Structures are given as structure tokens and as C-alpha cells.
Amino acid sequence: MALADPECGKSNGADSASPFSDIIELNVGGQVYVTRHTTLIAVPDSLLWNMFSKKTPTELARDSKGRFFLDRDGFLFRYILDYLRDLNLVLPDYFPEKIRLQREAQFFKLRELSKLLSPKMSKDNSITDEICQSDSEEPSATPLVGLDASRTLSVASTAHSPSLESKKSGYITVGYRGSYTIGRDIQTDAKFRRVARITVCGKTSLAKEVFGDTLNESRDPDRPPERYTSRYYLKYNFLEQAFDKLSEFGFHMVACSSTGTCAYSSSDPNEDKIWTSYTEYVFCRE
């Protein structure tokens, strides 16, 4: 097994002409990625190509653990990295970040990827007809011939009724803790306290796909996209808003559960009872 040199970033399996290790760790906006040096320099004249072929490890920014640091969107970088691996990109269904991903492609100077993500494409571009077909059309059984691999893009339609083949299934659990007072018999009102925090549990990529910038991931910033987490929570306190987002992205509720406890606000049994509850709602997209 190749052993990395912490001083210069070389390893026994690395190209002797390069000062970089064959295996490279990146910290992109708090998300950690591990990839090969050859993947990062797959597209000549791109930003990553210039960073990892024209510069030395000592010239690049690093985080506290020695990983190369890029101050960009860590979630969207997974698609940049996927593209660099085989010059082919497959986006998940219900993907709402296409414009932002195009901006990332422009930043990393991936011109072909940026063109493919552009909402305005030339009418004589055959890729528009072959790849970006509507859901009502049957997928072509004949493989594309004569197209450069770097110009092949498989993007799932963002229509409200996507094909079952391209739909990414999974579960998201939304939970909250709340408290309220019922009031005594002589009272006609009840005092409610707003929900303190709405938690989100599930696969990281699904949670970010649905809730986007409204998801607070500060408690679990390094969670890889395909791993599961129970430490995310939302930046707002309205359950209905969370339900609307889940419904918009094709999820439906399949189960819920709730527990509650009761206590007096003081030692006087005539005082209001304070009820505290914890509730979870399980949503699924099949």
C-alpha cells in the first residue's frame, strides 16, 4: 500500500514527475472528498488542472487537517467530480440546482459542462434531441454514435411526473419537539409555544435536494452525500413549510408517531399543566 508523505504530499504510487500524491483529499465548503490526482487534471486548462498540475502542494490552501481546501459549494462539487471521472454527468430526478451547478462549472472552467447545463442550447445541437427528451417519449434503444464523451449529458427531466426509471427513491424523517398548556376548566384559551427546532434525518443528498439552503448542516458539515445523518435541522419553524417542500419533490407521508409528557408549571396543582411532546413524520419517495 502506498504511504503518503505528509510534507510534500507524495506517495509511493504517485507519478514521480508530480509533487502531488496519487490519492488526494479535498475539503470543498466543508464536504470532504477523496479522489485521484488524475481525475482532478482530466480536463486541460480547467481550474483544477491548473491547481494540481501547474502549482505545488505548498502553494495551495489547506484546512486544519491538511486537506486541500476549496471555498465552493460542497454539495454541488460531487457532480463536478462525477463529470471529471468519465466526462459524463447524470443528475438526480427533481434536481433544482441546475443553474447553480452551471455557475460552479463556469468557476471551475469546465466549458463543455457549462454549455450542456445552459438553459439555452442551439436548435441544431443533436444532444438536445437525443438526451434531453421529455418524459412522454420512450428512451432510445440505439446507443449514441459519433458523439464525443465530453458532450454527453444525461439529465432527468424536472417535470412534475418524472419517469419511474430515473426517480431516486428514499426516506426522510422530519421531527420536532414542542410544548404547550391546555389551560384550566375556567379558562377558554390555551397557550402554545412555537416549535423550537425541526430536525431532518435521512440521506444527506436527499435532504439537501429537498431543503436546499434552508437546511442547517452546521452540526454535521463533513457528512458525505451518500451517507445518512440525524443531525440536520431547518432554519424555519413551520412544519407546513417543510411538508410543502417534501410534497413538491415527490415525497408522501407513510407514518408518524408522537410521545408526550405532562407536568405542572409550579407545585400548585391548580396551575396550568405544561405538555411536552416529540413527534416524527416519515416521508417516502418510491
Side-chain angles (χ1 to χ4, degrees):
M1 181 177 66
L3 298 177
D5 184 347
E7 294 297 328
C8 65
K10 293 182 180 180
S11 72
N12 295 338
D15 185 355
S16 59
S18 173
F20 290 95
S21 168
D22 180 45
I23 304 299
I24 293 180
E25 289 189 43
L26 301 172
N27 178 348
V28 185
Q31 296 285 349
V32 177
Y33 293 89
V34 181
T35 187
R36 288 187 175 276
H37 177 254
T38 52
T39 300
L40 297 176
I41 61 173
V43 178
D45 297 324
S46 66
L47 178 66
L48 292 171
W49 182 85
N50 278 284
M51 288 177 60
F52 291 95
S53 64
K54 295 298 184 181
K55 295 185 179 181
T56 63
T58 56
E59 296 179 272
L60 302 179
R62 294 179 183 248
D63 65 7
S64 59
K65 295 184 179 180
R67 296 172 294 213
F68 295 105
F69 179 75
L70 292 167
D71 189 16
R72 301 300 298 179
D73 191 311
F75 172 62
L76 293 178
F77 187 75
R78 63 175 296 201
Y79 302 107
I80 299 294
L81 200 57
D82 281 345
Y83 176 78
L84 292 175
R85 289 186 177 116
D86 55 11
L87 299 181
N88 180 41
L89 180 66
V90 178
L91 296 179
D93 202 359
Y94 296 104
F95 187 71
E97 307 286 357
K98 189 175 179 181
I99 295 179
R100 292 181 60 186
L101 181 58
Q102 185 193 16
R103 185 178 64 185
E104 294 300 299
Q106 292 173 344
F107 174 82
F108 286 105
K109 297 182 180 179
L110 299 171
R111 297 179 180 85
E112 294 299 323
L113 177 59
S114 178
K115 290 179 182 178
L116 293 170
L117 289 167
S118 175
K120 296 180 180 180
M121 300 182 68
S122 176
K123 292 183 179 180
D124 60 353
N125 191 332
S126 60
I127 295 179
T128 304
D129 298 328
E130 295 290 340
I131 301 300
C132 301
Q133 57 186 340
S134 65
D135 294 328
S136 59
E137 297 174 341
E138 292 293 330
S140 175
T142 304
L144 298 178
V145 179
L147 291 177
D148 188 87
S150 64
R151 296 186 59 79
T152 303
L153 176 65
S154 299
V155 181
S157 173
T158 56
H160 292 291
S161 301
S163 61
L164 295 176
E165 291 79 3
S166 60
K167 181 178 286 188
K168 188 174 183 180
S169 61
Y171 289 85
I172 291 180
T173 300
V174 175
Y176 79 95
R177 190 181 304 278
S179 61
Y180 55 91
T181 61
I182 294 297
R184 299 187 299 276
D185 293 340
I186 61 175
Q187 293 178 321
T188 59
D189 63 340
K191 299 177 181 179
F192 291 89
R193 298 181 184 178
R194 70 175 185 173
V195 177
R197 181 171 290 174
I198 301 175
T199 60
V200 176
C201 308
K203 186 176 288 188
T204 300
S205 58
L206 281 180
K208 291 183 177 181
E209 176 189 341
V210 173
F211 297 108
D213 293 337
T214 64
L215 188 71
N216 193 324
E217 50 186 299
S218 60
R219 291 168 53 189
D220 203 359
D222 295 333
R223 181 67 59 175
E226 296 306 314
R227 297 290 296 275
Y228 291 85
T229 181
S230 60
R231 298 176 61 84
Y232 288 168
Y233 61 94
L234 301 180
K235 297 178 181 179
Y236 50 80
N237 303 103
F238 299 98
L239 278 171
E240 292 77 10
Q241 190 172 349
F243 294 167
D244 286 343
K245 293 293 292 183
L246 286 160
S247 177
E248 177 184 344
F249 283 84
F251 285 82
H252 62 277
M253 189 187 303
V254 294
C256 68
S257 64
S258 182
T259 60
T261 59
C262 175
Y264 291 102
S265 58
S266 69
S267 59
D268 186 353
N270 293 321
E271 290 295 326
D272 292 341
K273 296 179 180 179
I274 298 179
W275 290 84
T276 302
S277 65
Y278 178 74
T279 306
E280 285 188 336
Y281 301 91
V282 182
F283 288 81
C284 174
R285 186 170 71 191
E286 298 176 349

Coordinates of all heavy atoms in Angstrom, one line a residue, residues 132-167:
C132 N -32.0 15.2 -23.8 CA -32.9 16.0 -23.0 C -34.3 15.8 -23.5 O -35.0 16.8 -23.9 CB -32.6 17.5 -23.0 SG -30.9 17.8 -22.3
Q133 N -34.8 14.6 -23.6 CA -36.1 14.3 -24.1 C -37.1 14.4 -23.0 O -36.8 14.3 -21.8 CB -36.1 12.9 -24.7 CG -35.7 11.8 -23.7 CD -35.6 10.5 -24.4 OE1 -36.2 10.3 -25.4 NE2 -34.9 9.5 -23.8
S134 N -38.4 14.6 -23.3 CA -39.4 14.7 -22.3 C -39.8 13.3 -21.8 O -39.5 12.3 -22.4 CB -40.7 15.4 -23.0 OG -41.2 14.6 -24.0
D135 N -40.5 13.3 -20.7 CA -40.9 12.1 -20.1 C -41.9 11.3 -20.9 O -42.0 10.1 -20.8 CB -41.6 12.3 -18.7 CG -40.6 12.9 -17.7 OD1 -39.4 12.6 -17.8 OD2 -41.0 13.7 -16.9
S136 N -42.6 12.0 -21.8 CA -43.6 11.3 -22.6 C -43.0 10.5 -23.7 O -43.6 9.6 -24.3 CB -44.6 12.3 -23.2 OG -43.9 13.2 -24.1
E137 N -41.7 10.7 -24.0 CA -41.0 10.0 -25.1 C -40.3 8.7 -24.5 O -39.9 8.7 -23.4 CB -40.0 10.9 -25.7 CG -40.5 12.1 -26.4 CD -39.4 13.1 -26.8 OE1 -38.3 12.9 -26.4 OE2 -39.7 13.9 -27.7
E138 N -40.3 7.7 -25.3 CA -39.6 6.5 -24.9 C -38.1 6.7 -25.1 O -37.7 7.3 -26.1 CB -40.1 5.3 -25.8 CG -41.5 4.9 -25.5 CD -41.7 4.3 -24.2 OE1 -40.8 3.8 -23.6 OE2 -42.8 4.5 -23.6
P139 N -37.3 6.2 -24.2 CA -35.9 6.4 -24.4 C -35.4 5.6 -25.6 O -35.9 4.5 -25.8 CB -35.3 5.8 -23.0 CG -36.4 4.9 -22.5 CD -37.7 5.6 -22.9
S140 N -34.4 6.1 -26.3 CA -33.9 5.5 -27.5 C -33.1 4.2 -27.1 O -32.3 4.2 -26.2 CB -33.0 6.5 -28.2 OG -32.4 5.8 -29.3
A141 N -33.4 3.1 -27.8 CA -32.8 1.9 -27.6 C -31.4 1.8 -28.3 O -30.6 0.9 -28.1 CB -33.7 0.7 -28.0
T142 N -31.2 2.7 -29.3 CA -30.0 2.8 -30.0 C -28.9 3.6 -29.4 O -29.2 4.8 -29.1 CB -30.3 3.3 -31.5 OG1 -31.3 2.5 -32.1 CG2 -29.0 3.2 -32.3
P143 N -27.8 3.2 -29.1 CA -26.8 4.0 -28.4 C -26.3 5.1 -29.3 O -26.3 5.0 -30.5 CB -25.6 3.0 -28.1 CG -25.8 1.9 -29.1 CD -27.3 1.8 -29.3
L144 N -25.9 6.2 -28.7 CA -25.4 7.4 -29.5 C -24.1 7.0 -30.1 O -23.2 6.5 -29.4 CB -25.3 8.6 -28.5 CG -26.6 9.1 -27.9 CD1 -26.3 10.2 -27.0 CD2 -27.6 9.5 -29.0
V145 N -23.9 7.4 -31.3 CA -22.7 7.1 -32.1 C -22.1 8.4 -32.6 O -22.8 9.2 -33.1 CB -23.0 6.1 -33.2 CG1 -21.7 5.8 -34.0 CG2 -23.6 4.8 -32.7
G146 N -20.8 8.5 -32.5 CA -20.1 9.6 -33.1 C -20.1 10.9 -32.2 O -19.7 11.9 -32.7
L147 N -20.6 10.8 -31.0 CA -20.6 12.0 -30.1 C -19.4 11.8 -29.2 O -19.2 10.8 -28.6 CB -21.9 12.0 -29.3 CG -23.2 12.4 -30.1 CD1 -24.4 12.3 -29.2 CD2 -23.0 13.7 -30.8
D148 N -18.7 12.9 -29.0 CA -17.6 12.9 -28.0 C -18.2 12.7 -26.6 O -19.2 13.2 -26.2 CB -16.9 14.3 -28.1 CG -15.6 14.2 -27.3 OD1 -14.6 13.8 -27.8 OD2 -15.7 14.7 -26.1
A149 N -17.5 11.9 -25.8 CA -18.0 11.6 -24.5 C -18.1 12.8 -23.6 O -19.0 12.9 -22.7 CB -17.0 10.6 -23.8
S150 N -17.3 13.8 -23.8 CA -17.4 15.0 -23.0 C -18.6 15.8 -23.3 O -18.9 16.8 -22.5 CB -16.1 15.9 -23.2 OG -16.1 16.4 -24.6
R151 N -19.4 15.5 -24.3 CA -20.6 16.3 -24.7 C -21.8 15.4 -24.4 O -22.9 15.7 -25.0 CB -20.5 16.7 -26.1 CG -19.4 17.7 -26.4 CD -19.5 18.3 -27.8 NE -20.7 19.0 -28.1 CZ -21.0 20.2 -27.7 NH1 -20.1 20.9 -27.0 NH2 -22.2 20.7 -28.0
T152 N -21.7 14.4 -23.7 CA -22.9 13.5 -23.4 C -23.4 13.9 -22.0 O -22.6 13.8 -21.0 CB -22.4 12.0 -23.4 OG1 -21.9 11.7 -24.7 CG2 -23.7 11.1 -23.2
L153 N -24.6 14.2 -21.9 CA -25.2 14.6 -20.6 C -26.6 13.9 -20.5 O -27.4 14.0 -21.3 CB -25.4 16.1 -20.6 CG -26.1 16.7 -19.3 CD1 -25.2 16.4 -18.1 CD2 -26.4 18.1 -19.5
S154 N -26.7 13.2 -19.4 CA -28.0 12.5 -19.1 C -28.6 13.2 -17.9 O -28.2 13.1 -16.8 CB -27.7 11.0 -18.7 OG -27.1 10.4 -19.8
V155 N -29.6 14.1 -18.2 CA -30.3 14.9 -17.2 C -31.7 14.5 -17.1 O -32.4 14.4 -18.1 CB -30.2 16.4 -17.6 CG1 -30.9 17.2 -16.5 CG2 -28.8 16.8 -17.8
A156 N -32.1 14.1 -15.9 CA -33.5 13.8 -15.6 C -34.4 15.0 -15.8 O -34.0 16.1 -15.4 CB -33.7 13.2 -14.2
S157 N -35.6 14.8 -16.4 CA -36.5 15.9 -16.6 C -37.0 16.4 -15.2 O -37.2 15.7 -14.3 CB -37.7 15.4 -17.4 OG -38.7 16.4 -17.4
T158 N -37.2 17.7 -15.1 CA -37.7 18.4 -13.9 C -39.2 18.5 -13.9 O -39.7 19.3 -13.2 CB -37.0 19.7 -13.7 OG1 -37.3 20.5 -14.9 CG2 -35.5 19.6 -13.5
A159 N -39.9 17.8 -14.8 CA -41.3 17.9 -14.8 C -41.9 17.2 -13.6 O -41.2 16.5 -12.8 CB -41.8 17.1 -16.1
H160 N -43.2 17.5 -13.3 CA -43.8 17.0 -12.1 C -44.1 15.6 -12.1 O -44.3 15.0 -11.1 CB -45.1 17.8 -11.8 CG -44.8 19.3 -11.5 ND1 -44.2 19.7 -10.3 CD2 -45.1 20.4 -12.2 CE1 -44.2 21.0 -10.3 NE2 -44.6 21.5 -11.4
S161 N -44.0 14.9 -13.3 CA -44.3 13.5 -13.4 C -43.1 12.8 -14.0 O -43.2 12.4 -15.2 CB -45.6 13.2 -14.2 OG -46.7 13.9 -13.6
P162 N -42.0 12.6 -13.4 CA -40.8 12.1 -13.9 C -41.0 10.6 -14.2 O -41.8 9.9 -13.6 CB -39.7 12.3 -12.9 CG -40.5 12.4 -11.6 CD -41.8 13.0 -11.9
S163 N -40.1 10.0 -15.0 CA -40.2 8.6 -15.3 C -39.8 7.8 -14.0 O -38.9 8.3 -13.3 CB -39.3 8.2 -16.5 OG -38.0 8.6 -16.2
L164 N -40.3 6.6 -13.9 CA -40.0 5.8 -12.7 C -38.6 5.4 -12.7 O -38.0 5.1 -11.7 CB -41.0 4.6 -12.6 CG -42.4 5.0 -12.4 CD1 -43.3 3.7 -12.4 CD2 -42.6 5.7 -11.0
E165 N -38.0 5.2 -13.9 CA -36.7 4.7 -14.0 C -35.7 5.7 -13.5 O -34.6 5.3 -12.9 CB -36.3 4.4 -15.5 CG -37.1 3.2 -16.1 CD -38.5 3.6 -16.5 OE1 -38.9 4.7 -16.4 OE2 -39.2 2.7 -16.9
S166 N -35.9 7.0 -13.6 CA -34.9 8.0 -13.2 C -35.2 8.5 -11.8 O -34.4 9.3 -11.3 CB -34.9 9.1 -14.2 OG -36.2 9.7 -14.2
K167 N -36.3 8.1 -11.2 CA -36.6 8.6 -9.9 C -35.7 8.0 -8.8 O -35.5 6.8 -8.7 CB -38.1 8.3 -9.5 CG -38.6 8.9 -8.2 CD -40.0 8.6 -7.9 CE -40.9 9.5 -8.8 NZ -42.3 9.4 -8.4

